[in-house]
Amino acid sequence: AQKVTQAQTEISVVEKEDVTLDCVYETRDTTYYLFWYKQPPSGELVFLIRRNSFDEQNEISGRYSWNFQKSTSSFNFTITASQVVDSAVYFCALSETPGTSGSRLTFGEGTQLTVNP
Amino acid sequence: DTGVSQDPRHKITKRGQNVTFRCDPISEHNRLYWYRQTLGQGPEFLTYFQNEAQLEKSRLLSDRFSAERPKGSFSTLEIQRTEQGDSAMYLCASSLLTGELFFGEGSRLTVL
């Protein structure tokens, strides 16, 4: 069975600090996808990134960067120079290769990030 | 607005009543998903449609739950004889065949 663990329930930082959100996953599949979603107070899950299990290259998008390490089954997310608007719950998720289950996602329990001014 | 829309956004009902939620996906998306999210937890998969066919249902989806997508466009999720444990946010998402999921803002259900 697939499992995603986000050990950090809550993180609080001061604006402009860098912060890393941890994600560890378990799967028996050799091909899978990893995701990060942001859920602001409004409730809508906002897609941030999708990464294929064959692509271990780290990715940077503006202030966001992701570190995928297959050897440790981790897919960590770093926000550089955090801003108050980054305050939200962040979810890591895992899906097997789309097939009969579509793109069914298994989510972690989320990390509540609070960025204080 | 071309995103996923859900209606109603909030529903308060008494135990034992039936409720129905509607989801309108992004128009070109042929896959539609329902998830349930309780406070402090991540979303949990309920069911998934490809076009009008319901291809998978989670064990979380008891006999009191039924979902339809009659014409392969919008979908409804009905909960019969609601129980207090059904109180949650019900999230709808849509996607293309191999794309990421786009979520709506959810329908929050409170069962008194």
Side-chain angles (χ1 to χ4, degrees):
Chain A
Q2 299 186 351
K3 185 178 179 182
V4 176
T5 302
Q6 295 179 253
Q8 304 150 308
T9 304
E10 296 182 25
I11 298 176
S12 182
V13 298
V14 177
E15 205 169 19
K16 297 185 183 177
E17 284 186 25
D18 298 347
V19 57
T20 295
L21 310 181
D22 297 333
C23 173
V24 175
Y25 62 92
E26 296 175 27
T27 180
R28 294 178 186 169
D29 297 322
T30 55
T31 304
Y32 50 88
Y33 292 88
L34 294 163
F35 302 78
W36 276 94
Y37 281 85
K38 173 182 180 180
Q39 189 173 42
S42 63
E44 182 176 353
L45 282 159
V46 177
F47 168 79
L48 296 177
I49 189 171
R50 179 177 76 160
R51 175 51 51 85
N52 184 302
S53 57
F54 291 115
D55 181 6
E56 289 194 68
Q57 196 168 15
N58 291 331
E59 182 160 341
I60 299 175
S61 176
R63 296 184 298 107
Y64 295 169
S65 62
W66 291 269
N67 184 309
F68 176 31
Q69 292 196 339
K70 212 168 179 177
S71 60
T72 56
S73 297
S74 66
F75 186 45
N76 297 336
F77 173 31
T78 297
I79 302 175
T80 302
S82 59
Q83 300 176 0
V84 173
V85 293
D86 295 327
S87 297
V89 181
Y90 290 85
F91 289 99
C92 180
L94 167 70
S95 79
E96 60 190 28
T97 303
T100 56
S101 297
S103 298
R104 170 182 179 159
L105 296 177
T106 299
F107 284 85
E109 295 191 344
T111 297
Q112 170 72 60
L113 173 65
T114 302
V115 182
N116 299 298
Chain B
D1 186 11
T2 57
V4 177
S5 63
Q6 294 187 242
D7 183 71
R9 294 290 312 283
H10 303 274
K11 178 71 177 180
I12 300 174
T13 191
K14 293 182 180 178
R15 185 165 51 95
Q17 298 295 305
N18 299 344
V19 297
T20 299
F21 300 113
R22 176 180 169 124
C23 171
D24 287 273
I26 294 172
S27 59
E28 62 268 27
H29 286 182
N30 50 8
R31 289 186 166 176
L32 186 147
Y33 307 79
W34 286 98
Y35 283 78
R36 181 173 70 186
Q37 185 178 21
T38 53
L39 200 61
Q41 302 294 315
E44 297 173 294
F45 172 82
L46 291 179
T47 190
Y48 141 70
F49 291 85
Q50 182 160 311
N51 300 314
E52 65 275 10
Q54 187 174 17
L55 296 186
E56 187 174 356
K57 293 194 292 186
S58 162
R59 285 173 293 178
L60 292 175
L61 216 63
S62 74
D63 292 344
R64 297 183 298 104
F65 287 69
S66 63
E68 294 182 345
R69 194 183 183 197
K71 297 182 180 178
S73 56
F74 74 91
S75 175
T76 58
L77 176 68
E78 181 183 16
I79 308 174
Q80 295 182 328
R81 304 181 304 280
T82 52
E83 301 172 356
Q84 288 185 325
D86 297 331
S87 295
M89 177 78 85
Y90 290 86
L91 296 166
C92 178
S94 68
S95 76
L96 294 170
L97 272 177
T98 58
E100 62 270 18
L101 273 63
F102 291 87
F103 284 84
E105 292 184 314
S107 293
R108 181 170 296 284
L109 173 65
T110 302
V111 181
L112 302 176

